[in-house]
Amino acid sequence: MRVIAVLVAVVLLSAGCTLVGESGEQEQGPVTVTLVTHDSWAVPKDVLAAFEQRAGIRVRVLKEGDAGELTNKLVLTKANPIGDVAYGVDSTFASRALAEGVFEPYTSPEADRGPQRYAIDRQHRLSAVDVGDVCVNVDTQWFAERDLPLPRTLDDLTKPEYRGLSVVQNPATSSPGLAFLLATVAEFGEPGWADYWRRLADNGVQVVSGWTQAYTQEFSGSSGKGPRPIVVSYASSPAAEVDAEGRPRTEALLDTCYRQVEYAGVLAGTSRPQKAGQVVDFLLSQQFQSTVAENMYVYPARQGVALPSGWDKVAPPPADPASLPGERVRTERERWIKQWRDLLGT
């Protein structure tokens, strides 16, 4: 009987029929793993398909807004997680997700290829996937046509010659908006950052809810051809705004940047922790990392990954972006946002 049972098991495995999964339940065919991520998720179909075939996994992608909305959703559903693995929680919101116990420990064998440089948790619950420093961007053609010098610093944005030209995002609803608020805290300290925002408001800054509206509708340097030539976006954004000759039409002001790192992790409570870990491995792999610049306009966290041609000239990363300790961001974030809302009347 034992021989017969072994033969039956071999036949079933060879045929790829019913298998017993991590949950102990019988599963048919490839295992489905749900990846919860932000709206900017993009990967070439052939790269994802090759991973799915190699790993025996079908990745179901669930997009949940920007990094801030994604984090809020993961926190609110932590008792009954909506997926198995998440990607896109950034360094401005990571401390909240960690404090709420959203992720469980997982150390990827790919993490020592560069992502460990951005490690923020001793329990290894999050692995860095990409870097997308938030910087002020300007429409260089707009300024050239008016013979007006480009602003260079955060302080410049409060000068009379730049009145009514800037658009930023609400830090309560937008991750780049929060990163910009943190940049002003890092630059001007307490209580100087609040005085800076008073001056910025007096100089006619426009506040909108999210990056999409700010960049694609209000910014004159994007395809939306909006009315304002100064916007908060990313150091890599100019790579998307080159003319037919490859010349950039916009510029990121590298002295205004705040470091933003996006992370992936296995969601606590998943019934498929091993398969979820394999998805994290994929996100840190050479195959995936080599796609992030062209598809999501961010820099890969893995070392030794080549950037697209021309990025070194049109979208160089800042040499020394501002940052704040994660613990300080965790304890002060809500107070800073409330104070900002009171100042701006939003």
Side-chain angles (χ1 to χ4, degrees), residues 290-303:
S290 64
T291 74
V292 300
E294 279 193 305
N295 288 274
M296 293 190 284
Y297 290 96
V298 290
Y299 305 101
R302 187 183 178 107
Q303 291 177 314

Side-chain angles (χ1 to χ4, degrees), residues 176-230:
L178 177 56
F180 183 63
L181 171 61
L182 298 181
T184 65
V185 174
E187 174 72 15
F188 301 104
E190 298 263 21
W193 73 267
D195 178 63
Y196 173 78
W197 277 95
R198 290 188 189 94
R199 291 187 285 128
L200 201 58
D202 289 343
N203 212 36
V205 68
Q206 181 186 10
V207 179
V208 298
S209 62
W211 178 88
T212 299
Q213 181 182 356
Y215 192 84
T216 67
Q217 298 178 26
E218 302 296 338
F219 181 45
S220 61
S222 72
S223 58
K225 302 297 179 185
R228 300 202 174 218
I230 303 173

Side-chain angles (χ1 to χ4, degrees), residues 34-39 60 62-83 85-89 93 96-97 100-103 172 267-268:
T34 299
L35 169 65
V36 190
T37 186
H38 49 47
D39 288 344
R60 172 177 172 259
L62 184 60
K63 295 183 177 181
E64 293 290 345
D66 73 4
E69 294 171 301
L70 169 65
T71 305
N72 288 336
K73 191 65 175 286
L74 294 175
V75 169
L76 292 173
T77 61
K78 65 179 182 180
N80 186 23
I82 56 177
V85 57
Y87 157 59
V89 172
F93 286 100
R96 184 182 178 214
E100 294 283 350
V102 168
F103 296 98
L267 290 173

Side-chain angles (χ1 to χ4, degrees), residues 111-128:
D112 62 357
R113 306 298 176 87
Q116 295 285 29
R117 291 174 293 169
Y118 308 110
I120 57 171
D121 176 40
R122 292 181 179 178
Q123 298 181 46
H124 303 286
R125 289 172 291 180
L126 288 173
S127 299

Side-chain angles (χ1 to χ4, degrees), residues 79-147:
N80 186 23
I82 56 177
D84 305 293
V85 57
Y87 157 59
V89 172
D90 73 9
S91 46
T92 64
F93 286 100
S95 57
R96 184 182 178 214
L98 292 174
E100 294 283 350
V102 168
F103 296 98
E104 67 176 48
Y106 175 71
T107 302
S108 170
E110 302 286 344
D112 62 357
R113 306 298 176 87
Q116 295 285 29
R117 291 174 293 169
Y118 308 110
I120 57 171
D121 176 40
R122 292 181 179 178
Q123 298 181 46
H124 303 286
R125 289 172 291 180
L126 288 173
S127 299
V129 175
D130 66 76
V131 179
D133 295 315
V134 173
C135 312
V136 173
N137 277 221
V138 295
D139 177 353
T140 53
Q141 185 176 355
W142 189 96
F143 284 94
E145 290 172 349
R146 290 158 181 78
D147 197 26

